[in-house]
Amino acid sequence: MEDKKSSLVSGSLEIRMPVLLFVSILFAIFAVSLSDQFLTADWEQLRSVGFGSSILFPVKGNVYPLGHFTVSVTIGNPPKAFELDIDTGSDLTWVQCDVQCTGCTLPRDMLYKPHNNAVSREDPLCAALSSPGNAPCKKSNDQCDYDVEYADHGSSIGVLVKDLAPMRLTNGQLINPNLGFGCGYDQDYGGMQPPPLVAGVLGLSSSKATIVSQLNDLGHVSNVIGHCLAGLGGGFLFFGGGLVPSSGMSWTPILRNSEGKYSSGPAEVYFGGKAGGIKGLTLTFDSGSSYTYFNSQVYGAVEKLLKNDLKGQPLKLAPDDKTLELCWKGRKAFKSVSDVRDFFKPLALNFKNSKNAQFQIPPEAYLIISPRDKLYKPHNNVVRCGEPLCTALFHQGKPPCRNPNDQCDYQIEYADHGSSIGVLVKDLVPMKLANGTVIAPNLGFGCGYDQHNGGSQPPPSTGGVLGLGNSRGTLASQISSLTHVRNIIGHCYSGHGGGFLFFGGDLVPSSGISWTPILHTSGGRYSSGPADVFFGGKAVGIRGLTLTFDSGSSYTYFNSQVYGAILNRLRNDLKGQPLKDAPEEKILPVCWKGSKAFKSVADVRSFFKPLALSFTNSQNVQFQMPPESYLIISESGNVCLGILDGSQVGLGNVNLIGDISFLDKIVVYDNEKQRIGWAPANCSRPRKQ
């Protein structure tokens, strides 16, 4: 790979324009291109409709608080999935590149690795990225370098490459086109916040260089792009015309001078069904922008319409809320936009060159509810790098700081590729001991300012994560060091929901509990072993497992070899039983159905044998897993296996016991004696010892 070039792809820096005329003043959400009503079926159902040559992608993300929507695109041989920010305002698709990368936010094993597949300057695809007369290379066989800059002054520098990108059409056909995209080896993020943990950008403009245009040139799909972003998060993206509704669509032409962007107009603003006196707007549709932007004149006029209409309503301006430029507060905190919908009139954009074409913007499409009252507010209480608490966060004992006086920053990534970036702070945490004494220790914890949800579902509405590992940085360890309680943690999750968590040793059962030692090499995790697997009371030949107890995981995961062996045992044992595979059930990978819907695991308990994990370094110690500890009943009444293949979600060889297997057990993590214990229990309420 050659050194970075100073030449530009398009003669002038590519600007990632926000939706509508770009200015620096925030106004409102404009992220939905069709409507939430189009989301009447989930993306798996849409994929199975068979509308000919289209490609469908499930979308992750939300407008707020994440601020971006992403899709997973598979590239290479062997194929690797890359999470890309979808952006109809950009020409170029690029991924972070494993070539001495500057500004890459992902681990090396998640970067794209080129293999002598650079696109040459004479390739038509390179010309599609360059404006007439611009020749960024001295020779025709030079590699095709690019340099793109976005509106927030972020940028990516790299080289154009070509590689296989396997995709499945909605008619079931698998294609494997050789597509061109950017291999970005120098990224700069212009925003105030740390960059989102995505692999790159999926450029979806009308340029000839986009992935969709290339697929169209190869005859795979028509040159049509669509997205449907759900108000609750997620949605879908499609290439090709097969999923465009046959009726009910409003259409307006793209301006010919839009330079690859999706711009239209002129348009007039309506407010509450009446013309607002704002005319002749040119509008740009851009999925790369979380919010809608107007120029200062239009923004001021719309703001005036809103404020005048709110006179007499029980809302007041909230200048102290800095979530966005313009906020209002009521007598009490609002939970959703539906609480204030009646106070705000809908907006609409009326396109003059299209008969009866209006883009409707109801209150849900231009308002958000800020979580300000639920966020932690720091107050000059940052932990410094030289403090022992900062050192305790890092297994090497060496925080990545230049100066002991620097603030103690952290970056944590979880097994599902979710993450949190922030700074360590200290504050008072009032608590009541079981004996009634109230304490308020000064404890250290993370103040997270950049969270990324790694799952396919929208992020849970929680305030953060309570870390309960056995490192010295946990709350439990800090409380113990202040001599308030012993360094023991326990939880008891009820199979009916709820349960309890405790710090200290008072609620540990005095008898009936099974103990196994924590491995010294567990790296802060609660791991033990070796253990053998039993099925129906008999050894199944799966031996020597290391097992990690993790209350942060909903399900139990085994590596692919162990998972496959257990699944084979289950399937063989179910032969002759009145259960059939239910591949149409998508809630978990393996499900079964009966002659009628099941209401609870009790309906199928007799069909499944218990599992057990026998710890060979502890005499007569077994972790029992009856059917209730590895099965769930879906909403459609099917029974599904709550044991999953950890190798498929990036856990490698890790075997992890999750919440489903903890139900109706009291589980104790004794950090003083370095052991883990468990016993059957009624978890509806704590039992005094």
Side-chain angles (χ1 to χ4, degrees):
M1 196 72 69
E2 297 181 9
D3 292 338
K4 290 184 286 186
K5 310 275 186 177
S6 60
S7 54
L8 308 179
V9 169
S10 57
S12 61
L13 292 179
E14 177 184 342
I15 301 297
R16 185 196 251 184
M17 292 291 290
V19 182
L20 309 183
L21 301 178
F22 173 75
V23 291
S24 62
I25 303 175
L26 282 168
F27 177 55
I29 301 170
F30 195 55
V32 181
S33 71
L34 300 180
S35 76
D36 277 351
Q37 293 177 353
F38 194 20
L39 281 170
T40 54
D42 63 30
W43 81 276
E44 284 286 355
Q45 290 173 316
L46 287 166
R47 184 175 177 176
S48 65
V49 171
F51 278 110
S53 294
S54 292
I55 302 170
L56 185 67
F57 302 90
V59 169
K60 301 177 185 177
N62 55 46
V63 170
Y64 188 81
L66 288 180
H68 62 263
F69 289 88
T70 64
V71 296
S72 180
V73 177
T74 304
I75 302 172
N77 184 21
K80 180 186 288 188
F82 297 93
E83 202 75 19
L84 304 179
D85 192 349
I86 58 177
D87 187 2
T88 56
S90 294
D91 297 342
L92 180 69
T93 292
W94 60 267
V95 296
Q96 295 181 25
C97 194
D98 186 12
V99 184
Q100 296 181 343
C101 189
T102 300
C104 281
T105 59
L106 303 178
R108 283 196 64 185
D109 62 346
M110 296 176 66
L111 302 180
Y112 174 76
K113 188 179 291 293
H115 47 90
N116 297 319
N117 56 338
V119 171
S120 70
R121 176 70 182 94
E122 61 186 3
D123 192 295
L125 189 61
C126 187
L129 282 173
S130 307
S131 61
N134 179 46
C137 304
K138 296 179 180 179
K139 300 178 182 178
S140 61
N141 61 350
D142 283 348
Q143 67 184 23
C144 183
D145 295 291
Y146 74 85
D147 186 338
V148 293
E149 183 172 330
Y150 300 103
D152 63 357
H153 305 299
S155 64
S156 176
I157 298 173
V159 61
L160 210 64
V161 297
K162 275 190 174 182
D163 209 339
L164 298 176
M167 301 177 184
R168 188 176 295 277
L169 302 179
T170 49
N171 63 11
Q173 180 185 355
L174 185 66
I175 60 173
N176 200 17
N178 198 35
L179 302 178
F181 55 94
C183 188
Y185 51 78
D186 188 356
Q187 276 65 244
D188 180 57
Y189 300 93
M192 295 293 291
Q193 299 297 329
L197 292 179
V198 295
V201 170
L202 178 62
L204 298 174
S205 74
S206 59
S207 161
K208 292 290 291 181
T210 64
I211 297 293
V212 182
S213 182
Q214 294 178 63
L215 289 168
N216 176 248
D217 290 343
L218 294 170
H220 293 304
V221 297
S222 57
N223 198 355
V224 176
I225 301 164
H227 56 71
C228 196
L229 310 178
L232 297 177
F236 58 89
L237 168 78
F238 60 88
F239 299 163
L243 294 178
V244 178
S246 57
S247 62
M249 289 285 295
S250 297
W251 295 97
T252 187
I254 298 171
L255 296 179
R256 293 184 179 179
N257 60 351
S258 57
E259 299 179 345
K261 297 176 175 63
Y262 297 108
S263 299
S264 188
E268 183 177 357
V269 176
Y270 277 63
F271 179 70
K274 298 178 181 179
I278 308 166
K279 301 179 180 180
L281 301 186
T282 299
L283 304 166
T284 299
F285 291 68
D286 186 349
S287 67
S289 175
S290 301
Y291 297 99
T292 288
Y293 295 77
F294 287 121
N295 65 40
S296 57
Q297 183 180 359
V298 177
Y299 174 80
V302 173
E303 180 185 6
K304 186 176 180 180
L305 287 171
L306 282 168
K307 286 182 175 179
N308 286 339
D309 196 64
L310 286 174
K311 289 178 179 178
Q313 300 288 6
L315 295 177
K316 294 182 180 180
L317 288 173
D320 54 327
D321 193 328
K322 304 301 182 184
T323 304
L324 289 175
E325 294 285 332
L326 185 59
C327 298
W328 295 269
K329 59 186 175 183
R331 297 188 185 95
K332 59 181 181 179
F334 303 116
K335 295 181 180 179
S336 71
V337 174
S338 62
D339 293 343
V340 296
R341 198 182 193 282
D342 294 341
F343 304 145
F344 292 86
K345 287 187 171 67
L347 288 161
L349 301 168
N350 188 47
F351 289 86
K352 293 296 185 180
N353 58 359
S354 306
K355 188 176 181 180
N356 299 322
Q358 277 196 347
F359 191 95
Q360 299 291 335
I361 312 178
E364 295 89 340
Y366 68 83
L367 297 173
I368 67 165
I369 301 298
S370 80
R372 183 172 173 271
D373 59 327
K374 297 180 180 178
L375 299 182
Y376 174 77
K377 186 180 290 294
H379 47 89
N380 297 318
N381 55 339
V382 169
V383 172
R384 302 297 170 183
C385 285
E387 297 183 43
L389 188 60
C390 185
T391 306
L393 276 179
F394 300 90
H395 296 304
Q396 303 292 333
K398 296 179 180 179
C401 304
R402 295 180 179 178
N403 191 304
N405 243 2
D406 289 346
Q407 67 182 25
C408 183
D409 297 300
Y410 74 85
Q411 179 170 347
I412 299 174
E413 183 166 340
Y414 299 100
D416 63 356
H417 304 302
S419 63
S420 176
I421 298 173
V423 60
L424 209 63
V425 296
K426 265 190 172 183
D427 210 338
L428 300 177
V429 183
M431 299 178 182
K432 182 179 285 189
L433 301 179
N435 63 10
T437 303
V438 176
I439 59 174
N442 197 33
L443 303 179
F445 54 92
C447 185
Y449 52 74
D450 185 9
Q451 277 61 249
H452 177 70
N453 180 48
S456 58
Q457 301 298 321
S461 55
T462 55
V465 172
L466 178 62
L468 299 175
N470 65 356
S471 77
R472 291 184 294 115
T474 65
L475 291 189
S477 179
Q478 293 179 66
I479 295 170
S480 174
S481 67
L482 296 171
T483 69
H484 291 301
V485 298
R486 294 175 60 192
N487 195 358
I488 296 174
I489 301 165
H491 57 70
C492 199
Y493 302 148
S494 172
H496 301 291
F500 58 90
L501 169 77
F502 61 88
F503 295 166
D506 290 349
L507 295 180
V508 178
S510 56
S511 63
I513 194 163
S514 300
W515 294 100
T516 187
I518 297 171
L519 296 178
H520 293 297
T521 57
S522 57
R525 298 182 177 87
Y526 295 109
S527 298
S528 189
D532 300 342
V533 179
F534 281 66
F535 179 71
K538 298 179 180 179
V540 297
I542 305 171
R543 300 177 179 176
L545 301 185
T546 297
L547 301 162
T548 298
F549 290 64
D550 187 352
S551 65
S553 173
S554 299
Y555 297 103
T556 289
Y557 293 82
F558 288 110
N559 66 48
S560 56
Q561 182 180 0
V562 177
Y563 171 79
I566 291 174
L567 184 57
N568 285 338
R569 285 280 180 163
L570 283 168
R571 290 194 184 281
N572 288 335
D573 199 63
L574 287 174
K575 290 178 179 178
Q577 301 287 7
L579 294 177
K580 295 182 179 179
D581 285 345
E584 69 278 6
E585 176 67 75
K586 301 301 181 184
I587 189 171
L588 285 175
V590 178
C591 299
W592 297 271
K593 58 186 175 183
S595 56
K596 60 181 181 180
F598 302 118
K599 296 181 179 179
S600 71
V601 175
D603 295 341
V604 296
R605 198 181 194 281
S606 60
F607 304 146
F608 292 86
K609 288 188 172 69
L611 286 162
L613 302 168
S614 181
F615 290 85
T616 56
N617 61 354
S618 307
Q619 189 174 6
N620 299 321
V621 170
Q622 283 196 344
F623 186 92
Q624 299 291 336
M625 296 172 60
E628 295 89 339
S629 290
Y630 65 84
L631 298 174
I632 67 164
I633 302 298
S634 72
E635 289 185 359
S636 54
N638 296 321
V639 57
C640 298
L641 181 62
I643 297 174
L644 307 179
D645 186 345
S647 301
Q648 290 188 354
V649 296
L651 291 177
N653 203 39
V654 173
N655 301 298
L656 188 151
I657 303 174
D659 293 344
I660 189 172
S661 302
F662 294 145
L663 297 179
D664 298 317
K665 295 181 180 72
I666 187 168
V667 181
V668 181
Y669 308 90
D670 188 340
N671 293 305
E672 296 180 348
K673 297 183 178 179
Q674 287 293 289
R675 59 181 183 171
I676 307 169
W678 58 88
N682 177 2
C683 295
S684 58
R685 63 180 63 184
R687 184 180 62 182
K688 293 183 179 180
Q689 299 301 311

